[in-house]
Amino acid sequence: AASTSGHFYTHTTSRTKTVLANGNTSVLWSYYILQVTDNASAPMNNTAGNCTGNAIFDKQGKELAASGVCFFKDEAGDSLPLTWSTDEAGTAKCPNGCGHFTMLPGTGKFKGMTGGGTFDETHLFGDHEGSSGTLKINYSK
């Protein structure tokens, strides 16, 4: 088993908002993500890909729940999918969103890799046009 930390950067490519019958809002969005680990030899270093997420916001705009899936690839085309979920948002500790992710079976160098970690979205750009934050990753192969 090994661990590393790092950073992620996102850019929203599409977003659809739907006002629900109870006044909450569902937001479905697609975004591009890049992750860079502090350990240059970590398998997940310099991987990027496409993600889809869905979130529910209350009438005041506070995030109630969010989750999604990402499909990372490295320069060789090896893929590492993962699911993510926000655990906390709109608090003093996690004003933008903190959560966890779980790696799914991948291809190439990611085949047989298991693990997951946590994320802390530290910056939002524009009206959720992008974000950046920190990662903590635990993995084994």
Side-chain angles (χ1 to χ4, degrees):
S3 64
T4 188
S5 56
H7 291 84
F8 69 90
Y9 309 90
T10 73
H11 174 72
T12 300
T13 55
S14 70
R15 183 175 50 222
T16 302
K17 293 181 179 182
T18 303
V19 177
L20 304 174
N22 66 359
N24 291 345
T25 301
S26 172
V27 179
L28 176 65
W29 77 103
S30 297
Y31 58 98
Y32 189 76
I33 189 167
L34 164 70
Q35 65 182 2
V36 179
T37 62
D38 296 334
N39 175 356
S41 64
M44 297 75 62
N45 188 49
N46 287 326
T47 56
N50 293 296
C51 303
T52 301
N54 192 62
I56 304 294
F57 295 88
D58 69 13
K59 296 173 191 174
Q60 291 73 38
K62 182 178 185 221
E63 183 179 299
L64 301 175
S67 62
V69 62
C70 294
F71 297 92
F72 286 93
K73 285 190 177 182
D74 67 5
E75 65 279 355
D78 297 339
S79 67
L80 177 66
L82 61 83
T83 61
W84 62 265
S85 183
T86 299
D87 299 321
E88 184 176 348
T91 65
K93 178 182 171 192
C94 292
N96 300 315
C98 299
H100 68 279
F101 57 91
T102 303
M103 296 175 188
L104 302 173
T107 66
K109 73 179 181 187
F110 301 114
K111 188 173 183 165
M113 184 177 289
T114 60
T118 59
F119 64 88
D120 181 356
E121 188 177 51
T122 58
H123 296 85
L124 294 177
F125 303 103
D127 182 23
H128 293 274
E129 295 169 4
S131 66
S132 66
T134 58
L135 300 165
K136 291 181 183 173
I137 306 168
N138 299 301
Y139 61 96
S140 61
K141 185 159 179 164

